[in-house]
């Protein structure tokens, strides 16, 4: 079994980020899009923690701590927005929300 | 740091991640996301030695955020997508973009010298103490600003959910 280097972690982080990106583009349900966004944030966290470990630099973990905090606040506000939108439009699918469309 | 653990965690993470975006059932997608997050937390702890972040990740993401997601799915009563409504153009475009960017990342990673773990890798570190010390000395101001951010978010959520009630009563 080969040794795990920083590049392995970065590759896994990139794969996770790309899965999230693909989900944002090809899913139509706003909740699933939101979950994919969370996955992209998590992928960024993974690369930050990997950099922190391999460089012996604990400050990066503080940044991850802040990212998690901000993500939690963002999820709360975003889901409240989705609920408000659902009350207005009775739908959670992005193709039905066309108010800004010409 | 056990290489086998890294492979198990990353494989589980990617499989669950793919299942998030391919599942038609929103509840199943949310549970897959929870699995992804738990695997990521395990990787933080067992492969990277960030035990404090592992606990935070499980508590905040797998605990609070996923419960919020499931609660909203229940509240909105989101149904499965019964018919195949996704258009092929979006699927092709999304996969192509993801693959393209993946290739770029692989090219960059192959071009760089692999970084070996630090000399003391695998030695248990007191990361909770280090993070706590940094948080309350060097990063005290951002930490306090975060509390203001959370307060603003809480007030915003309450206002957003009150709007409808006020309109319907007037």
């Amino acid at each position: 079994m080969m040794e795990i280097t920083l590049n392995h972690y970065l590759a896994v982080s990139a794969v996770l980020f790309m899965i999230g990106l693909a989900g944002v583009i090809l899913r139509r349900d706003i909740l699933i899009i939101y979950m994919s966004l969370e996955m992209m944030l998590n992928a960024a966290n993974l690369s930050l923690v990997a950099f922190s470990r391999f460089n012996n630099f604990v400050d990066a973990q503080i940044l991850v701590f802040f990212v998690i905090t901000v993500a939690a606040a963002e999820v709360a506000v975003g889901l409240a927005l989705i609920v408000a939108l659902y009350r207005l439009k009775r739908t959670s699918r992005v193709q039905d929300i066309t108010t800004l469309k010409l | 740091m056990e290489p086998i653990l890294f492979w198990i965690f990353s494989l589980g993470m990617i499989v669950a991640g793919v299942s998030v975006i391919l599942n038609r059932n929103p509840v199943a997608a949310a549970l897959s996301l929870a699995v992804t997050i738990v695997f990521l937390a395990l990787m933080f702890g067992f492969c990277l030695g960030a035990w404090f972040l592992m606990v935070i990740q499980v508590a905040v993401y797998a605990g609070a955020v996923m419960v919020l997601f499931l609660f909203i799915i229940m509240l909105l009563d989101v149904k499965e997508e019964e018919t195949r409504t996704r258009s092929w153009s979006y699927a092709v475009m999304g996969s192509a973009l993801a693959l393209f960017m993946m290739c770029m990342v692989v090219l960059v990673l192959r071009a760089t010298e692999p970084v070996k773990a630090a000399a003391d890798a695998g030695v248990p570190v007191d990361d909770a103490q280090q993070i706590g010390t940094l948080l309350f000395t060097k990063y005290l101001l951002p930490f306090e600003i975060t509390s203001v951010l959370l307060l603003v978010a809480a007030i915003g959520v309450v206002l957003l959910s009150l709007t409808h009630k006020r309109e319907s009563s007037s």
Side-chain angles (χ1 to χ4, degrees):
Chain A
M1 197 70 75
M2 58 209 249
E3 198 190 346
I4 305 297
T5 58
L6 176 60
N7 287 9
H8 289 82
Y9 287 101
L10 293 184
V12 170
S13 161
V15 169
L16 206 59
F17 191 89
M18 293 314 152
I19 292 171
L21 181 66
V24 168
I25 292 176
L26 58 86
R27 287 309 296 261
R28 301 276 67 117
D29 196 310
I30 205 163
L31 273 166
I32 310 283
I33 290 178
Y34 221 68
M35 289 178 198
S36 305
L37 281 177
E38 290 306 309
M39 206 148 66
M40 288 158 86
L41 279 172
N42 275 307
N45 279 350
L46 174 59
S47 64
L48 276 173
V49 176
F51 276 126
S52 144
R53 184 72 191 127
F54 281 81
N55 291 319
N56 261 334
F57 187 61
V58 190
D59 295 39
Q61 297 194 14
I62 307 271
L63 183 55
V64 174
F65 178 80
F66 284 132
V67 168
I68 290 176
T69 317
V70 172
E74 174 233 334
V75 162
V77 175
L79 287 178
L81 279 174
I82 290 175
V83 170
L85 197 65
Y86 189 82
R87 280 174 175 163
L88 206 64
K89 297 268 183 188
R90 293 280 145 205
T91 182
S92 69
R93 286 162 45 173
V94 283
Q95 72 261 43
D96 297 331
I97 303 162
T98 52
T99 315
L100 280 178
K101 218 175 185 176
L102 282 174
Chain B
M1 186 174 67
E2 299 278 337
I4 187 78
L5 282 181
F6 170 82
W7 293 113
I8 291 173
F9 293 156
S10 51
L11 196 69
M13 209 152 70
I14 288 163
V15 168
V18 169
S19 136
V20 170
I21 66 168
L22 292 185
N23 242 316
R24 296 194 175 283
N25 189 347
V27 179
L31 291 177
S32 303
L33 183 60
V35 171
T36 312
I37 285 165
V38 168
F39 272 122
L40 186 63
L42 288 173
M43 189 182 261
F44 280 177
F46 288 94
C47 298
L48 292 164
W51 301 99
F52 177 70
L53 283 179
M54 177 177 94
V55 174
I56 293 288
Q57 176 92 358
V58 169
V60 174
Y61 266 116
V65 169
M66 290 324 296
V67 168
L68 256 180
F69 266 113
L70 287 171
F71 193 72
I72 296 297
I73 290 173
M74 184 196 75
L75 195 70
L76 301 189
D77 197 18
V78 182
K79 296 284 188 302
E80 292 186 32
E81 296 175 30
E82 321 83 4
T83 49
R84 186 170 275 277
T85 48
R86 346 175 172 165
S87 60
W88 279 105
S89 61
Y90 277 109
V92 169
M93 206 171 72
S95 321
L97 185 62
L99 272 178
F100 171 71
M101 292 185 73
M102 194 65 231
C103 290
M104 303 288 279
V105 172
V106 166
L107 278 179
V108 170
L109 287 181
R110 284 181 70 87
T112 51
E113 197 69 28
V115 179
K116 292 282 189 295
D120 65 337
V123 177
V125 283
D126 206 351
D127 65 321
Q129 189 191 9
Q130 287 179 21
I131 289 177
T133 310
L134 274 173
L135 207 55
F136 287 106
T137 52
K138 195 174 167 188
Y139 295 101
L140 184 59
L141 183 64
F143 184 67
E144 297 294 344
I145 292 174
T146 308
S147 66
V148 178
L149 175 81
L150 287 176
L151 180 68
V152 169
I155 294 173
V157 168
V158 170
L159 278 180
L160 274 173
S161 47
L162 276 184
T163 314
H164 185 254
K165 217 172 259 178
R166 207 167 49 209
E167 276 172 4
S168 61
S169 63
S170 61

